[in-house]
Amino acid sequence: MQRHEVVVVGAGLAGQRAALAAVQAGRDVAIVSKLHPLRSHSGAAQGGINAAVGAEDSVDTHIFDTVKGSDYLGDQDAIEFFCREAGPIVVEMEHFGTIFSRSDDGSLARRPFGGAHFPRTIYAADRTGLALLQALWERLGSENLTLYDEWDLTRLVVRDGRVHGLVAFDRTNGEFQEISAKAVVLATGPAGRVYGRTTNAHSCTGDGIAAAYESGAALKDMEFVQFHPTALLESSILITEGARGEGGLLKNASGERFMVRYAPHVQELASRDVVSRAIVTEIKEGRGFSGPYGGYVHLELMHLGKERIESRLTEICDFARRFAGIDPVTEPIPVYPAQHYMMGGIGTNVRAETNVRGLYAAGEAACVSIHGANRLGGNSLLETLVFGREAGIAAAAYASTAPTPEMHESDLDEATAPLRAWSSRADGEDPSTLRTELQRTMEEYVGIFRDEAGLMEGLRRVRELRRRFEKVRVVDRSQVYNLNLTDALETGHLLELAEVIVVGAFARTESRGAHSRTDYPKRDDARWMRHTIARKGPSGPVLDYAPVGFTKYEPTERVY
């Protein structure tokens, strides 16, 4: 058994920043990660990180834009804290060695992003997440901590409402390991792979969210799933919002800039949920292009010129050329919305505390809530760093006075019993088959547009897949890198979280932000200005609700 005071699960930006804060507080810290830290999904973030710098912008405007972008479901006290920490966090990351792009006068370059009054998105070309990740990992390398990489979180050990540690699967030798911990920080990212068409990495399977849910933690606002409007058609590779921030145009099959119908004042720079619905509507109403991979629209960059495109959108050029055979300098890019971000997650406060003592969460695995019903581009990288730091500080403070954890001999057996059953079966279902069926179900019934009949059918199918998963079979008996076993682990997490998403979406009879009900097309503040809270019950999610935190911004109609 391994023993540490603070264990951080996940090694992306949120996990690394939490580990750094806990180490600096003098605690014995370990990171558990299914990937090497530099392979974390944080590195896929392209467009930039928001901070109100410069005389024409203000923190108050950043706060208001975030509140409005959330369709007024974001907790305003949390948003205020978050936005006020933005400037210092960006300065800290620059001091850690992040090489941000610069303007001609040497100041930090900024580009406009959707839903913002001013250009406040600071960037490193179109590889901002990777630049931040590399700088933070180099900074963390000088600290004394333990890294368990290529370990999969299997189960949290929680007794009497308190964390005592966890059980993880070491892919390199096929062994299950116990780790005793006074405090655990979950920074495992989203469950985007619950959808087939997604910009998320294959590793984004909601492991930490599912483990928290299983252990009694409350999940918040899981029905709010963001679709990014511009993903490369066939592969769903992200085409950053920075492309539109640089002046990219969206056009339908008639060559029309159709966003004027949906957001006349800002057009392509409307909020992501608005642009995604507009694209799908154009296609449904027959104004899109059609091809072997379905309908799509064009994102045009050609008018920006070769030098600007290749210097500021380097990665986009590479993706378009390599994966679509298209040169964006001379040709339009075919795009269609893909699942991108989950506004919901493990419910926390601004100190990253959950309802389980000693358990903390940060990054996309958590829901503070600052994004409410819809996240603004550029706020996610900032979220990982602000609340990753808060999680590390809080976990370290708790661990300094917490009693010694008590790991029992039965913890390992209980955590691994289902997995042993999977490997002992003579017949049963392949986990990859169930995962593919789940993804198709979620895309068809729980996508950008939803209605009661579709959600009911989606829930029926998800629950049937969960029943079939009880007979899942792992045929690979190897000890080293048994990907059949990890596939089964991850599929179980996705199935559990899919049910929470669908149940929450069915219950919320309104349209707000990314949750768009065609049978309830209006936002209903009288009934639904509240957060959905889901806890695991004996037969599925049990829903409750919590009030939204208000300070000074009263809800108004959200138009762009």
Side-chain angles (χ1 to χ4, degrees), residues 287-541:
R287 293 187 292 274
F289 298 90
S290 59
Y293 302 103
Y296 61 95
V297 298
H298 277 162
L299 173 63
E300 293 188 0
L301 305 176
M302 302 91 74
H303 59 284
L304 301 178
K306 179 180 176 69
E307 190 281 329
R308 185 173 181 180
I309 295 170
E310 293 187 340
S311 63
R312 299 194 186 186
L313 300 169
T314 309
E315 195 166 66
I316 297 309
C317 288
D318 188 46
F319 288 157
R321 289 165 180 163
R322 287 177 180 269
F323 297 102
I326 289 169
D327 186 351
V329 173
T330 59
E331 301 171 89
I333 303 172
V335 295
Y336 185 86
Q339 189 282 334
H340 180 62
Y341 189 90
M342 306 191 89
M343 275 70 74
I346 305 162
T348 74
N349 57 23
V350 293
R351 294 178 297 280
E353 296 167 328
T354 73
N355 61 301
V356 177
R357 293 196 310 279
L359 182 64
Y360 303 83
E364 198 172 345
C367 180
V368 181
S369 154
I370 51 171
H371 306 307
N374 176 71
R375 176 179 68 83
L376 293 186
N379 273 352
S380 60
L381 288 176
L382 180 61
E383 174 192 21
T384 63
L385 297 169
V386 170
F387 294 108
R389 180 196 62 194
E390 294 304 306
I393 291 170
Y398 173 83
S400 68
T401 60
T404 302
E406 298 177 5
M407 298 288 282
H408 298 168
E409 291 184 6
S410 60
D411 292 333
L412 186 61
D413 287 339
E414 290 176 3
T416 58
L419 286 65
R420 293 196 303 272
W422 300 343
S423 298
S424 65
R425 290 197 177 105
D427 57 12
E429 297 230 42
D430 184 85
S432 63
T433 299
L434 298 176
R435 184 189 294 214
T436 299
E437 289 189 35
L438 171 66
Q439 291 169 340
R440 290 172 179 166
T441 295
M442 294 297 288
E443 289 194 349
E444 183 172 357
Y445 299 108
V446 202
I448 292 175
F449 290 107
R450 306 165 176 182
D451 61 31
E452 180 176 314
L455 290 169
M456 286 182 67
E457 177 61 16
L459 182 58
R460 185 193 69 78
R461 294 190 182 205
V462 168
R463 285 179 167 165
E464 175 60 25
L465 288 168
R466 292 202 64 195
R467 284 190 288 270
R468 288 166 57 187
F469 184 77
E470 294 174 2
K471 301 297 184 182
V472 75
R473 182 190 181 200
V474 172
V475 298
D476 189 347
R477 301 293 190 269
S478 62
Q479 294 297 304
V480 178
Y481 292 103
N482 188 332
L483 299 184
N484 190 197
L485 178 58
T486 56
D487 184 23
L489 279 168
E490 293 172 341
T491 300
H493 298 156
L494 292 172
L495 285 165
E496 184 132 63
L497 297 178
E499 184 180 24
V500 181
I501 293 169
V502 184
V503 168
F506 180 82
R508 186 173 284 272
T509 52
E510 67 160 353
S511 289
R512 184 186 298 269
H515 174 67
S516 183
R517 291 279 300 258
T518 57
D519 48 350
Y520 294 95
K522 300 293 185 181
R523 195 178 80 192
D524 185 354
D525 290 345
R527 294 187 59 215
W528 288 109
M529 186 61 74
R530 52 183 181 166
H531 297 296
T532 303
I533 306 297
R535 291 180 172 84
K536 185 177 177 65
S539 58

Side-chain angles (χ1 to χ4, degrees), residues 268-300:
E268 284 86 1
L269 290 178
S271 195
R272 287 177 176 175
D273 60 321
V274 175
V275 182
S276 292
R277 286 193 294 272
I279 291 173
V280 173
T281 299
E282 289 294 301
I283 294 166
K284 284 186 173 182
E285 295 182 356
R287 293 187 292 274
F289 298 90
S290 59
Y293 302 103
Y296 61 95
V297 298
H298 277 162
L299 173 63
E300 293 188 0

Side-chain angles (χ1 to χ4, degrees), residues 120-156:
R120 71 168 62 94
T121 305
I122 297 161
Y123 59 94
D126 56 353
R127 295 171 175 166
T128 313
L130 184 60
L132 292 166
L133 193 67
Q134 290 171 331
L136 187 53
W137 181 241
E138 288 179 6
R139 174 65 185 82
L140 200 59
S142 63
E143 302 292 346
N144 183 24
L145 58 79
T146 303
L147 172 65
Y148 302 102
D149 67 321
E150 299 190 315
W151 285 37
D152 290 87
L153 174 64
T154 304
R155 179 176 293 187
L156 294 170

